[in-house]
Structures are given as C-alpha cells and as structure tokens.
Amino acid sequence: MSDFDAIVIGSGISGGWAAKELCEKGLKTLVLERGRNIEHIADYPTAFTEPWEFKHRNYLPRKVREENPLISKAAGYNEDTAHFFIQDKDHPYVQEKPFEWIRGYQVGGKSLIWGRACQRWSEYEFSAPARFGYGIDWPIRYKDVAPWYSHVEKFIGVCGHKDSIEAMPDGEFLPPIELNCVEKVLQQKFLAHYKNRYLVQGRWAQLTEPNDIHIEQGRGRCQCRNLCMRGCPYGGYFSSVTSTLPWAKRTGNLTVRPHSVVHSIIYDENKGQASGVRVIDANTKEVIEYKARVIFVNASALNSNLILLNSTSKRFPNGLGNDNGLLGKFIGFHIYRGSMGADMPGYEDKYIYGRNPVECILANFRNLKEQDTDFFGGYTTFMGAYRARRNEAEGIGAGFKKALSEPDGWRVYMYMQGETMPNENNHVRLSTNEKDQWGIPLLVTSVGYDDNAEKMVKDFLIQGREMLEVAGCTNIETYDNKQAPGLDIHEMGGVRMGRDPQTSLLNEWNQLHHCKNVFVTDGACMTSMGNQSPSILYMALTARAANRAVAELKKGKF
C-alpha cells in the first residue's frame, strides 16, 4: 500500500480544484482517474481541424449513432469531440426509469467539455428549501461561500458584467463579451415592461482579458472560435487540464494515476476513519490499495454515490457513512425541456463578427422572496440572437449565388434550466446481480420528473412566449422536448449536506458526518438543485473544504 497525505478520486472540475488546493498547502496528493491521460494541447487532436478535413465532414455516421444511442445524444458530441466521451458498451448501467447518463472519462473529465456558465448561487437559492418547506435546510449560506467564489473566479477567469441583480450575485469578472444589437433590444424591452426581468451578458469561464495569474498558468485570450469542446490550445476557457492540474503539478506534490477505477474507500475499524482507496487498474485488472489521511471524493455525482455505496465494512454495511439509509437518495437534476425560437424583424443593416462562445442569461424571476407561482423553485433562461444562414433565394446564376451569400434575418432563441425538487424516490443504488468489467456492481438509476417539474415547464413556455412578443418577435415556436433526465449533465445529490446526521450525509464542510476524513465536494453533495449552473459552486465548495481539511490535518484530527 502506497502512502500519500491525500487522495482525490476524480480529476474533473472539482477534483482538479481539490488537487490544486491540497498540493499548494504542501500535501503529497494522489489523483485517481479511471480514464486515460490527457495533456494540454498535445491531446487536442481536432483543435485546428477544418470541417472539410473530417472524414464525415464533422457529422456522426449512422454506425456511431447505432452503437452509441445514449452518448450520441449529448450536447456537443460529434465527430470532432467524440474522443472526450465514453462509448456506451464500455460503461453500462441499469435504467429503472429512462435516464441519460452522460460521461467523459479521461484526465480532466467533463471539464474539457463543460458548458462554462458560471453564475453564482444567490441567498434565495440557499434559503429556499427551508423557507418554502420543500427540502432540508442547507448548513451554509451565501456569505459562507462568497469568498470562495471570488477565490475560484480570480483563478479560472470568468467574464461578465456587474449587474447588481439580487437573484444572481456579481463576482470577480473579466470584461464581458458584449450583447449584440438585437440582444440589447431584448434586454431593454424586458426591463421596461416587467421592471424585474434582467437579461445580461453571460458569466462564462472564458479569458476575455487574461490577468497575470492566467498568463502564469500558460493560458491566453479566448479567440472566440467557439470550438471549446475540442480542447482549446490557447487555454481560452477553464478546464482541469489547462489550469488546476498543471498548477498542482508544479508544486512537486502531485501524482496523477490514470486508468484507475476506484472500487471502494477502505475503512479502518480501529481508527474509526478511512485509511485509503482500493483501485482496479483499468487495463490489467490488478487490485491496488493506496493509503492516505484525507480522501476527497470527486468522481462526479453519480459515480461518487456508487463508490460510497460500494465502500462497505463491518461498521458501514450499507455504504460509507450511510447510517441513516439516505445515501443515493434525493438525486436531482436540471430541467432542460422547454425551448423556443422566433424571428426578430429589422436590424438587417447590422451583423455580428466571430463565433460568440457565450450566451446571454435571463436571471430567474420566479419564487424569489415569496412563492408567486403554483410550483416551487425557479429557472434560469439562456438565450441569444443571431443571423441565420440564408437557405433560399430568388433568381439564377451569379445573382442567385450572391443572394445566398448574404445572411438571413435575425433569429432569437431561449431555453430553460429549471430546478427540480428534492425527492427521496429519485435515487440510485447498486445492482444486486449485474457487474461491470471490473467486477463492480452496476449503478441502477431511478430518477424521473414530478408534477412540480411539469408546472415549471408550462410556466416557462407561457412566460417565454409572452416575453418574445413583448420584445417584438414574430413567428414564435415553443417546444417541450420531453427528454429524459440526464441530458442536462447536471445530476446532483445522493450525499447531501445538512446540519442533522439523521437527514443528511455531509456536514457544513462537506465531511461525512460519520467519517470525518472523507470529503465529498462534487455534485453529489447538493442539498437542493437551485437554478444556476452548478459547476462553479462545486469548485468553490471544494476549495473551501480542502482548506478545512488541511487545517484539521495540522491539528492532528486525521
């Protein structure tokens, strides 16, 4: 058994942050990643590939879709990015209800292919479950995590504008990517009509103007190519591969072990704490055990649940820390079912240049200070305006070709990111009779929508149509795609934080109540889902927890 001060399970967006913080504080840290290694720049094979240079012109051939019916539905999955996603046959799970589990197994995880939206949670979201009675209270408030949001934002680089919106607090922003002419019109008309509906520039992890800390990471300005999910050789957006892992590596305290499928966390019955991690080499199937005093679980929400459920011992026969039987329960996600599109007449003397990697955000306006709808929770709206490619033109010959080269009129789109309610029936558990190629029980997902979600989708479609009409849009078309949960790639919960060990798994510092040297800081820790994009909250919670872990380690508590 090899010894380290700390082990981090997972190298994605939160695992990278755990590694950075722990290594900076002098801890010899092992990062375990079940997928292959990825090096910044060297492993971005399609970063500069033109569409016509792809074998299938950057379209997915039928064979790939037929062999990967699940992962090929993922946003951004295509011929240019498929190498950063799993293949379905390699990583089965059991869908008791339809649930599209999107995964990317490599060093850097899904931080290479994430959406990059970085809104802060507001006090409204932290307090809503207790105020409205739809969940247990968070053990922390916005003030507890606000300094850590700043800590993360300064390091990763988040562009945006300080808008003074109570429902979406400001941060440490780099200059924003400006709204285009139609987006400015939408912004003005929404605010003039509703007084409290704020459309703002997206808060995105793009380096619009790198600061010294970003240049020190070897990263440069975003080129607005909007090819982020191929991996950015300029380091224009944040990923673990670009930023936190190289930063941790240069301390001399980091060891990364790819191809390491974590079987379980080892519990020392005598010491009453975790003593290490049991790993199966993905290629050789060799079982290896690593020892450490502190363990961070950042395997992504559902895999973190799986590892903890599979970490059984005499003290914890139902999974590590699972005295209350709630491990794996209250799984949440974000609702992405509602969307719409419309024409915006006029403004055809104006155009946009470049490929904007950022979307506008309409801050949540539902159920803030009080419940003002027939459902709980709120929704963030992402939207934008663009000039479409012209597909039809009159005439023949040169005139026809010239007409086709001109852009079409303006189009507007919007889609929702809605909060789901904590629900004990939405859960994951281990299969009792099916295992993966490494002998680990398959995860069973049993997650679905409820009546609250249906009401929220309906409200979004009504309100969205009304807002586009107010703005002067025409030919409005609304959609409810009825997609299964999971495609939002925002699965959360199962190891939720709380004050009471009877109703939660983690305390206010993301430590297991009953095994304090194990910290869970990815999406599994979420007490409720909120409506903001969650990744930057995971990063802030991880940095906060890592500093707590180091402080307790120095006090000799582990």
Side-chain angles (χ1 to χ4, degrees):
M1 185 180 274
S2 302
D3 286 3
F4 292 87
D5 295 319
I7 294 175
V8 178
I9 303 172
S11 63
I13 214 158
S14 62
W17 263 94
K20 170 190 173 294
E21 296 292 312
L22 296 170
C23 287
E24 278 187 320
K25 296 296 186 299
L27 270 60
K28 294 294 184 183
T29 302
L30 171 66
V31 172
L32 298 169
E33 166 55 52
R34 65 183 294 154
R36 63 191 172 104
N37 189 38
I38 295 289
E39 295 290 342
H40 179 46
I41 300 177
D43 291 317
Y44 305 154
T46 60
F48 293 107
T49 307
E50 300 291 353
W52 55 87
E53 294 176 319
F54 288 98
K55 182 178 180 180
H56 303 98
R57 302 297 185 264
N58 205 20
Y59 286 92
L60 284 178
R62 178 181 297 175
K63 185 172 187 292
V64 173
R65 291 187 183 278
E66 289 176 346
E67 292 178 351
N68 297 276
L70 189 155
I71 202 69
S72 61
K73 295 178 185 174
Y77 181 91
N78 218 328
E79 192 175 18
D80 59 340
T81 60
H83 49 282
F84 288 147
F85 293 84
I86 64 159
Q87 295 193 38
D88 289 358
K89 64 179 173 55
D90 295 334
H91 303 283
Y93 64 104
V94 181
Q95 299 182 55
E96 193 164 76
K97 299 177 182 176
F99 185 89
E100 316 281 13
W101 188 12
I102 305 304
R103 289 154 289 169
Y105 292 153
Q106 59 262 321
V107 169
K110 289 183 292 187
S111 77
L112 285 159
I113 48 176
W114 69 307
R116 309 176 306 284
C118 282
Q119 319 92 284
R120 292 186 179 199
W121 272 42
S122 70
E123 180 63 22
Y124 289 128
E125 288 159 294
F126 283 105
S127 62
R131 283 191 294 122
F132 299 130
Y134 63 75
I136 65 167
D137 195 15
W138 278 82
I140 57 173
R141 286 292 184 266
Y142 176 69
K143 64 179 175 54
D144 297 310
V145 75
W148 296 101
Y149 269 126
S150 295
H151 179 68
V152 170
E153 287 162 346
K154 290 175 182 175
F155 189 80
I156 70 173
V158 177
C159 66
H161 191 272
K162 290 183 182 293
D163 301 294
S164 301
I165 303 171
E166 201 172 8
M168 200 169 70
D170 292 331
E172 310 289 340
F173 296 145
L174 302 174
I177 293 176
E178 293 295 340
L179 305 179
N180 63 42
C181 62
V182 171
E183 291 164 349
K184 288 178 181 175
V185 170
L186 296 169
Q187 180 187 53
Q188 293 162 5
K189 292 195 174 182
F190 290 168
L191 193 56
H193 184 84
Y194 295 102
K195 312 301 182 189
N196 65 347
R197 297 190 182 184
Y198 303 98
L199 178 67
V200 301
Q201 292 98 336
R203 293 155 182 199
W204 239 252
Q206 311 287 145
L207 293 185
T208 50
E209 285 188 17
N211 289 329
D212 290 345
I213 188 66
H214 309 124
I215 294 170
E216 196 175 346
Q217 294 170 36
R219 301 170 56 199
R221 183 191 301 267
C222 171
Q223 303 295 303
C224 286
R225 304 188 317 149
N226 201 18
L227 299 175
C228 310
M229 292 176 74
R230 298 182 182 185
C232 180
Y234 305 99
Y237 77 98
F238 167 80
S239 75
S240 299
V241 173
T242 306
S243 182
T244 44
L245 290 176
W247 194 267
K249 184 178 180 180
R250 73 182 199 173
T251 66
N253 293 322
L254 178 68
T255 300
V256 178
R257 192 184 193 284
H259 304 296
S260 300
V261 179
V262 171
H263 176 278
S264 56
I265 296 169
I266 303 165
Y267 184 75
D268 188 321
E269 306 277 351
N270 295 320
K271 293 182 177 178
Q273 63 183 30
S275 59
V277 175
R278 184 172 295 114
V279 166
I280 300 173
D281 187 285
N283 298 317
T284 67
K285 310 289 175 67
E286 179 188 7
V287 178
I288 308 167
E289 293 183 353
Y290 294 99
K291 188 176 179 181
R293 290 185 290 168
V294 173
I295 296 166
F296 270 69
V297 186
N298 301 91
S300 82
L302 298 192
N303 271 326
S304 289
N305 275 273
L306 188 159
I307 290 167
L308 292 170
L309 286 166
N310 202 41
S311 300
T312 56
S313 60
K314 183 178 178 182
R315 168 67 181 84
F316 296 109
N318 299 312
L320 188 61
N322 190 22
D323 282 3
N324 56 24
L326 296 179
L327 179 59
K329 297 182 177 179
F330 298 99
I331 298 294
F333 56 96
H334 275 151
I335 306 167
Y336 270 73
R337 281 174 35 185
S339 66
M340 59 194 70
D343 294 330
M344 174 60 97
Y347 312 100
E348 295 193 10
D349 60 335
K350 297 180 175 62
Y351 191 62
I352 49 174
Y353 179 76
R355 299 171 180 169
N356 187 356
V358 174
E359 294 180 309
C360 309
I361 296 174
L362 179 68
N364 176 43
F365 53 87
R366 284 307 202 197
N367 302 325
L368 296 173
K369 294 181 180 177
E370 57 188 25
Q371 187 180 357
D372 50 28
T373 67
D374 62 349
F375 59 86
F376 291 118
Y379 50 81
T380 291
T381 304
F382 295 102
M383 61 184 306
Y386 62 99
R387 294 198 71 174
R389 184 187 299 272
R390 190 180 295 273
N391 293 320
E392 297 179 356
E394 295 181 354
I396 58 172
F400 177 72
K401 289 175 64 177
K402 184 177 186 306
L404 282 179
S405 71
E406 297 294 327
D408 210 338
W410 285 90
R411 292 280 297 168
V412 175
Y413 71 91
M414 63 166 57
Y415 62 93
M416 68 180 298
Q417 178 176 279
E419 180 177 3
T420 52
M421 296 294 102
N423 181 342
E424 187 171 356
N425 292 325
N426 282 341
H427 71 277
V428 295
R429 63 181 189 274
L430 300 184
S431 172
T432 57
N433 57 0
E434 293 185 82
K435 295 185 177 181
D436 64 16
Q437 58 182 300
W438 299 284
I440 297 172
L442 297 189
L443 196 69
V444 179
T445 59
S446 183
V447 179
Y449 293 104
D450 59 13
D451 184 57
N452 195 80
E454 301 297 333
K455 291 176 179 177
M456 185 182 291
V457 172
K458 181 180 179 182
D459 184 74
F460 167 78
L461 295 176
I462 293 172
Q463 294 300 313
R465 173 181 285 277
E466 180 184 285
M467 284 188 283
L468 292 182
E469 290 173 347
V470 164
C473 294
T474 60
N475 300 321
I476 301 168
E477 296 177 323
T478 63
Y479 309 95
D480 176 358
N481 60 29
K482 304 283 188 183
Q483 70 182 29
L487 280 181
D488 52 289
I489 322 181
H490 284 182
E491 57 270 16
M492 296 176 249
V495 198
R496 64 181 182 179
M497 298 171 70
R499 296 188 178 88
D500 185 352
Q502 295 298 317
T503 59
S504 60
L505 278 299
L506 303 172
N507 68 11
E508 72 272 31
W509 297 102
N510 294 78
Q511 296 167 279
L512 282 174
H513 285 300
H514 300 301
C515 189
K516 290 287 199 304
N517 67 332
V518 174
F519 294 75
V520 183
T521 63
D522 60 12
C525 76
M526 298 292 277
T527 308
S528 63
M529 311 331 138
N531 63 82
Q532 310 290 2
S533 303
S535 297
I536 193 170
L537 178 56
Y538 306 159
M539 291 189 262
L541 290 174
T542 300
R544 179 175 180 267
N547 281 264
R548 174 75 174 187
V550 172
E552 296 216 335
L553 201 60
K554 289 180 178 176
K555 293 176 183 175
K557 292 191 175 182
F558 309 136

